[in-house]
Amino acid sequence: KAGVTQTPRYLIKTRGQQVTLSCSPISGHRSVSWYQQTPGQGLQFLFEYFSETQRNKGNFPGRFSGRQFSNSRSEMNVSTLELGDSALYLCASSYLARETDTQYFGPGTRLTVL
Amino acid sequence: QKEVEQNSGPLSVPEGAIASLNCTYSDRGSQSFFWYRQYSGKSPELIMFIYSNGDKEDGRFTAQLNKASQYVSLLIRDSQPSDSATYLCAVRGRSQGNLIFGKGTKLSVKP
C-alpha cells in the first residue's frame, strides 16, 4: 500500500503571500491530521478531518485553514504568511478517528517564508 | 494545558547497550500512547503503540506504560548506530483525535 503523500515537498514564499499544501492519505484511511513542526515548539497539532468534517482544531490563528474532500484527500491553506510560519508541515492519516487508531505520517512539506 | 514531557537529551549509549527513553504526561484521561522515531530531515515513523498498563514488546523495542504514575517509556535493547534519531512520545486522550507530542529525546548510539 502506498504511504501518505504530500505535495509540494518544498516551498519558498514571501511574507504576505498565501500557500496551499496537499495531502493524500493511505488508501482506505478516512482521517487526516495536520501538524506543524519547528525546532523550538516541536510538533504542534493544527487540525483533524474525518469524512470531510473538521473534528478538532489546535491553537493556531485563523490564517490557518483546511478542508477534506470526499476522496479523503486534504488541503491546508495559510494566508498572509509570516516569517514564523516557516516550518515542516506534516500530514498524518489513520483508518478512522478512534483513540486507538495509529497515525502514519507523510514526508512533510518544508515551507520557508522570506 | 495537556502536556507531554521528555528529556531532550542527547542521550548517548554505546552500541549493544540498552537505551531507556522516558515520557510523562499530564492528562489522566489519556488512553493511547505512541512512540515515533524521527531521523534528521525525515518525518516521524511509528515504532510502537501501547494502550494497556504493563509492557509491550516488539523485537528490540519494549514499551512500558504506568497509568497510575502517568509514565510511559521505551527501551531499545542491543542499540545500533542506526537507532540514532530523535524519539517522540505522543499521547491521545479520550475522545480526542489529535496526538499531543513531547519535544523528543535525541538518542546517539556510539559504535
Side-chain angles (χ1 to χ4, degrees):
Chain A
K1 228 180 218 185
V4 179
T5 58
Q6 292 187 245
T7 56
R9 293 292 312 277
Y10 302 92
L11 266 179
I12 299 176
K13 293 285 188 179
T14 56
R15 277 181 300 174
Q17 288 187 307
Q18 77 165 23
V19 66
T20 299
L21 312 181
S22 181
C23 170
S24 292
I26 292 170
S27 178
H29 283 195
R30 292 167 59 190
S31 176
V32 172
S33 297
W34 288 90
Y35 296 86
Q36 180 197 65
Q37 187 174 33
T38 58
Q41 297 299 317
L43 264 160
Q44 292 187 289
F45 170 71
L46 281 157
F47 22 68
E48 181 204 12
Y49 288 89
F50 179 75
S51 292
E52 301 179 67
T53 300
Q54 187 180 90
R55 285 187 77 228
N56 207 355
K57 189 177 191 304
N59 190 25
F60 278 82
R63 300 184 297 106
F64 292 81
S65 63
R67 59 178 175 169
Q68 187 181 33
F69 302 96
S70 58
N71 61 358
S72 295
R73 191 177 69 85
S74 178
E75 289 181 347
M76 67 162 282
N77 184 278
V78 187
S79 62
T80 319
L81 284 166
E82 300 178 359
L83 294 179
D85 297 333
S86 294
L88 180 65
Y89 289 88
L90 291 159
C91 163
S93 78
S94 61
Y95 177 57
L96 295 175
R98 298 166 302 187
E99 58 198 35
T100 54
D101 285 329
T102 51
Q103 293 188 0
Y104 297 91
F105 283 85
T109 295
R110 173 75 62 184
L111 172 64
T112 302
V113 182
L114 303 175
Chain B
Q1 180 80 4
K2 298 171 184 175
E3 293 182 346
V4 177
E5 300 285 343
Q6 295 180 256
N7 286 328
S8 61
L11 172 66
S12 184
V13 300
E15 184 175 356
I18 296 175
S20 178
L21 305 162
N22 304 314
C23 172
T24 59
Y25 58 95
S26 62
D27 181 11
R28 282 198 172 274
S30 299
Q31 296 292 309
S32 310
F33 307 86
F34 304 83
W35 283 99
Y36 287 84
R37 175 175 64 196
Q38 187 173 25
Y39 292 111
S40 181
K42 301 292 186 182
S43 63
E45 170 193 12
L46 180 70
I47 299 176
M48 294 278 291
F49 57 87
I50 186 167
Y51 311 132
S52 305
N53 270 333
D55 294 0
K56 179 182 178 183
E57 187 174 317
D58 183 2
R60 295 187 297 113
F61 299 96
T62 299
Q64 299 175 315
L65 175 61
N66 184 325
K67 288 187 178 181
S69 300
Q70 295 176 237
Y71 174 95
V72 59
S73 65
L74 179 71
L75 300 178
I76 307 174
R77 289 182 300 282
D78 188 24
S79 295
Q80 301 297 308
S82 59
D83 295 326
S84 298
T86 296
Y87 289 79
L88 300 165
C89 172
V91 173
R92 183 190 282 136
R94 188 185 298 272
S95 301
Q96 183 178 7
N98 61 287
L99 298 174
I100 300 172
F101 282 85
K103 292 195 175 180
T105 298
K106 188 170 184 177
L107 172 67
S108 176
V109 181
K110 303 294 186 186

